[in-house]
């Protein structure tokens, strides 16, 4: 999204505050060193305080279990962190220590562990470095030992090595913290599912129990009547305020009917109340309806309100797409936006895949001011009203979705490309032209073979590594389409 558009959205659409990422931290070294080398412990503890400050600067809630020097202190730290219910536990190897001090932390907390070793500077001053000063640089020494013990114990191992002010290392650490934010969002999330399955969309059907058992969180089953009663309570003044908000966020095409816009505004206010009353972090919906009755009108009036909620960080997906609404929440948690998307056409002349969707969109990643267009008919759905039309910000993007296997297990699927300019449809849909660097037909074949459904989310930036890290913390398999060889 252009900077001026971002500013325009920031004022009327206040982002929903999420629970801060809870990071457990324990730092340690070998007790035998402290009497041998006076001052070493003080130096290492100073390093540990710096690491704490860096995590706090990321907006994390840090549960600092202190500095450990032996297995007994490690056991006490593990118990503290177990009670804290962290999203990730970071173990800082400040110097050599034994694996017996790290293993119980991973075993007892039942939380993904990131092992970091950050030496004081980028290199030792060799002529002026004695044994005590050298020991502050050998945090990487126990890393293979810890990795070996984790492997033999069946514990996933991940690490970052660097120095205290090494921004490359901190960028890698930040990726794991972002992944922990995803884990927190999924563990504590409340995901609304309103209406019923779009008839015949067999790929969309998702086991709600599996969502809670695999990711954590809760799926709240809603009726369209839950929305109906809230829309009925919307006042004329509230509807007028929401229409004014729509005019400030969108460019309105001349095809927009004022009556349809008023209805969409009322549904939008009702949606906000529904989300608040049920404490929802995401929502997927669909209702077929019949002959213009109230439930059909509600389903047709969702697009404005759903798009405004998505821009605020509460993603909403149509067509009862629970897995895609979860993917949108994951993408938004990573700061990648994430707009509801499917294949629309292939352009072999320009070498691009045209993708997008009718219905809700993530307004915060629009290339320009998003447009509201009036439609007398929704293709494939009953009803009529206003719909969103835009192109995702040009530049690097990532397609991301949650696929499902024969045994029901989930898989994260990604592909990195670039949104490029060119002609777009003007039919009230989001549409983007994505260049994946090889033949669009071959990309489509490779993408379709991954287990992905026919919906996914289009995200800003090249985010494959971020999604891979999130998959790692969640224990989900990961697949990336990078070329025709991925068939």
């Amino acid at each position: 999204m252009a900077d001026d558009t971002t500013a325009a959205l920031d004022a009327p659409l206040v982002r929903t505050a999420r629970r801060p990422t809870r990071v457990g931290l324990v730092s340690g070294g070998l007790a035998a060193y402290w009497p041998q080398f006076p001052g070493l412990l003080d130096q290492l503890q100073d390093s540990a305080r710096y690491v704490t400050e860096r995590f706090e600067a990321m907006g994390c809630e840090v549960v600092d279990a202190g500095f450990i020097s032996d297995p007994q202190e490690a056991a006490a730290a593990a118990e503290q962190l177990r009670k804290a219910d962290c999203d990730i536990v970071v173990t800082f190897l400040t110097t050599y220590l034994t694996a017996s001090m790290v293993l119980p932390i991973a075993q007892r907390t039942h939380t993904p562990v990131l092992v970091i070793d950050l030496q004081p500077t980028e290199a030792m001053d060799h002529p002026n470095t004695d044994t005590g000063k050298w020991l502050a640089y050998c945090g990487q020494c126990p890393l293979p030992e810890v990795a070996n013990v984790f492997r033999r114990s069946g514990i996933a191992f991940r690490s970052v090595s660097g120095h205290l002010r090494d921004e490359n290392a901190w960028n890698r650490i930040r990726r794991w913290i972002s992944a922990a934010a995803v884990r927190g969002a999924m563990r504590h999330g409340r995901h609304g599912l309103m209406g019923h399955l779009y008839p015949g969309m067999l790929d969309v059907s998702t086991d709600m129990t599996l969502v809670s058992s695999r990711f954590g969180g809760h799926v709240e089953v809603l009726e369209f009547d839950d929305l109906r009663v809230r829309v009925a309570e919307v006042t004329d003044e509230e509807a007028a305020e929401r229409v004014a908000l729509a005019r400030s966020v969108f460019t309105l095409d001349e095809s927009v009917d004022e009556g349809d816009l008023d209805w969409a505004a009322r549904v939008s206010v009702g949606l906000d109340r529904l989300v608040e009353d049920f404490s929802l972090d995401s929502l997927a919906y669909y209702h077929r309806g019949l002959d213009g009755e109230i439930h059909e009108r509600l389903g047709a009036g969702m697009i404005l309100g759903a798009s405004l909620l998505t821009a605020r960080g509460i993603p909403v997906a149509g067509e009862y797409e629970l897995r895609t609404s979860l993917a949108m929440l994951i993408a938004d948690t990573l700061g990648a936006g994430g707009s509801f998307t499917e294949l629309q056409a292939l352009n072999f002349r320009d070498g691009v895949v045209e993708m997008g969707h009718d219905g809700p969109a993530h307004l915060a990643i629009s290339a320009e001011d998003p447009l509201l267009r009036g439609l007398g008919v929704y293709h494939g759905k009953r009803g009529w009203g206003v719909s969103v039309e835009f192109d995702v910000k040009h530049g690097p993007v990532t397609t991301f979705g949650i696929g499902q296997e024969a045994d029901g297990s989930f898989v994260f699927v990604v592909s990195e490309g670039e949104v490029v300019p060119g002609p777009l449809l003007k039919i009230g849909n989001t549409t983007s032209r994505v260049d994946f660097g090889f033949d669009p037909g071959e990309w489509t074949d490779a993408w379709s073979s991954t287990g992905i459904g026919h919906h996914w989310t289009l995200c800003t930036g090249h985010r494959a590594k971020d999604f891979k890290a999130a998959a790692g913390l969640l224990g989900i398999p990961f697949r990336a389409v990078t070329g025709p060889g991925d068939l």
Side-chain angles (χ1 to χ4, degrees):
M1 168 173 286
D3 290 342
D4 55 345
T5 309
T6 303
L9 283 180
D10 283 345
L13 298 178
V14 178
R15 291 276 300 178
T16 299
R18 287 204 179 104
R19 168 186 174 275
T21 306
R22 186 172 297 164
V23 176
L25 176 64
V26 59
S27 308
L30 194 65
Y33 294 154
W34 314 147
Q36 293 176 327
F37 304 101
L40 175 61
L41 177 59
D42 290 339
Q43 179 185 358
L44 300 180
Q45 289 174 329
D46 283 343
S47 295
R49 280 188 285 272
Y50 175 78
V51 168
T52 299
E53 291 169 1
R54 289 294 297 251
F55 285 133
E56 290 174 341
M58 296 180 195
C60 299
E61 176 189 343
V62 180
V63 180
D64 192 341
F67 198 99
I68 61 173
S69 301
D70 56 42
Q72 291 83 359
E73 292 178 355
E79 180 63 12
Q80 179 182 348
L81 295 175
R82 182 190 66 80
K83 294 178 180 178
D85 187 32
C86 298
D87 300 315
I88 191 170
V89 169
V90 179
T91 301
F92 179 20
L93 311 181
T94 65
T95 184
Y96 178 78
L97 48 66
T98 63
S100 64
M101 297 167 58
V102 180
L103 180 61
I105 293 169
Q107 288 176 319
R108 300 180 190 182
T109 59
H110 301 289
T111 302
V113 174
L114 171 65
V115 181
I116 64 173
D117 60 278
L118 303 174
Q119 63 189 39
T121 64
E122 60 185 354
M124 291 185 291
D125 178 11
H126 293 79
N128 298 304
T129 299
D130 57 19
T131 303
K133 291 180 180 178
W134 156 66
L135 286 172
Y137 282 81
C138 73
Q140 75 290 141
C141 179
L143 193 65
E145 176 181 338
V146 172
N148 173 275
V149 171
F150 273 31
R151 179 180 291 271
R152 291 163 64 181
S153 303
I155 297 170
F157 175 78
R158 54 194 69 85
S159 68
V160 173
S161 300
H163 62 88
L164 279 176
R165 288 165 176 77
D166 177 2
E167 290 308 312
N168 178 49
W170 279 107
N171 285 336
R172 284 144 54 208
I173 291 170
R174 191 174 290 108
R175 178 172 293 126
W176 288 113
I177 299 303
S178 295
V182 169
R183 181 172 182 264
M186 299 302 281
R187 288 198 306 135
H188 298 276
R190 290 178 53 83
H191 315 296
L193 192 59
M194 184 170 69
H196 61 80
L197 186 71
Y198 190 111
M201 284 188 181
L202 302 182
D203 64 317
V204 167
S205 178
T206 301
D207 183 341
M208 292 182 291
T209 303
L210 185 63
V211 169
S212 295
S213 65
R214 198 67 193 85
F215 292 124
H218 169 74
V219 179
E220 183 73 20
V221 178
L222 301 167
E223 303 282 356
F224 256 75
D225 287 319
D226 291 316
L227 177 61
R228 176 183 58 80
V229 297
R230 288 165 174 80
V231 172
E233 295 172 349
V234 176
T235 66
D236 291 344
E237 182 180 2
E238 290 170 329
E241 290 175 353
R242 189 55 52 99
V243 168
L245 173 63
R247 292 184 182 279
S248 71
V249 172
F250 294 90
T251 296
L252 267 62
D253 185 74
E254 61 183 13
S255 60
V256 173
D257 177 83
E258 289 297 328
D260 291 343
L261 180 59
D262 176 78
W263 175 246
R266 291 175 183 275
V267 175
S268 176
V269 176
L271 266 176
D272 284 1
R273 289 179 180 161
L274 182 81
V275 165
E276 181 178 359
D277 291 346
F278 287 95
S279 301
L280 300 181
D281 297 292
S282 69
L283 174 66
Y285 73 93
Y286 175 76
H287 186 84
R288 182 172 57 187
L290 186 66
D291 295 336
E293 50 83 35
I294 184 61
H295 297 94
E296 178 186 300
R297 293 293 292 130
L298 288 167
M302 292 276 290
I303 295 173
L304 171 64
S307 298
L308 293 173
L309 280 170
T310 301
R312 285 174 42 204
I314 303 171
V316 182
E319 298 182 7
Y320 213 61
E321 248 293 16
L322 176 57
R323 293 202 309 277
T324 301
S325 63
L326 296 177
M328 292 166 67
L329 178 60
I330 291 169
D332 191 83
T333 301
L334 291 172
S339 201
F340 192 44
T341 304
E342 67 183 359
L343 290 169
Q344 291 182 327
L346 304 181
N347 188 325
F348 292 96
R349 181 188 60 225
D350 297 339
V352 298
V353 177
E354 297 184 26
M355 61 177 66
H357 210 283
D358 62 325
H362 200 311
L363 306 178
I365 61 172
S366 175
E368 299 176 353
D369 285 343
L371 180 131
L372 276 184
R373 185 180 296 279
L375 297 178
V377 62
Y378 290 154
H379 73 273
K381 303 179 182 68
R382 297 184 187 275
W384 66 92
V386 296
S387 190
V388 174
E389 185 176 295
F390 80 4
D391 179 20
V392 168
K393 181 173 70 173
H394 296 177
V397 291
T398 303
T399 54
F400 166 61
I402 302 175
Q404 198 158 13
E405 303 283 56
D407 62 0
S409 60
F410 296 127
V411 57
F412 280 11
V413 185
V414 304
S415 188
E416 294 180 340
E418 183 171 349
V419 171
V420 297
L424 299 171
L425 295 172
K426 298 184 183 298
I427 59 171
N429 285 15
T430 63
T431 307
S432 296
R433 295 158 44 91
V434 188
D435 183 352
F436 289 99
F438 59 103
D439 180 83
E442 292 183 274
W443 181 86
T444 301
D445 291 337
W447 181 250
S448 300
S449 71
T450 60
I452 195 73
H454 82 279
H455 299 124
W456 52 88
T457 183
L458 185 59
C459 315
T460 54
H462 282 166
R463 304 283 187 162
K465 291 181 179 179
D466 298 324
F467 289 120
K468 185 176 182 179
L473 288 197
L474 292 167
I476 303 293
F478 175 83
R479 292 183 187 140
V481 172
T482 59
D486 295 312
L487 286 168

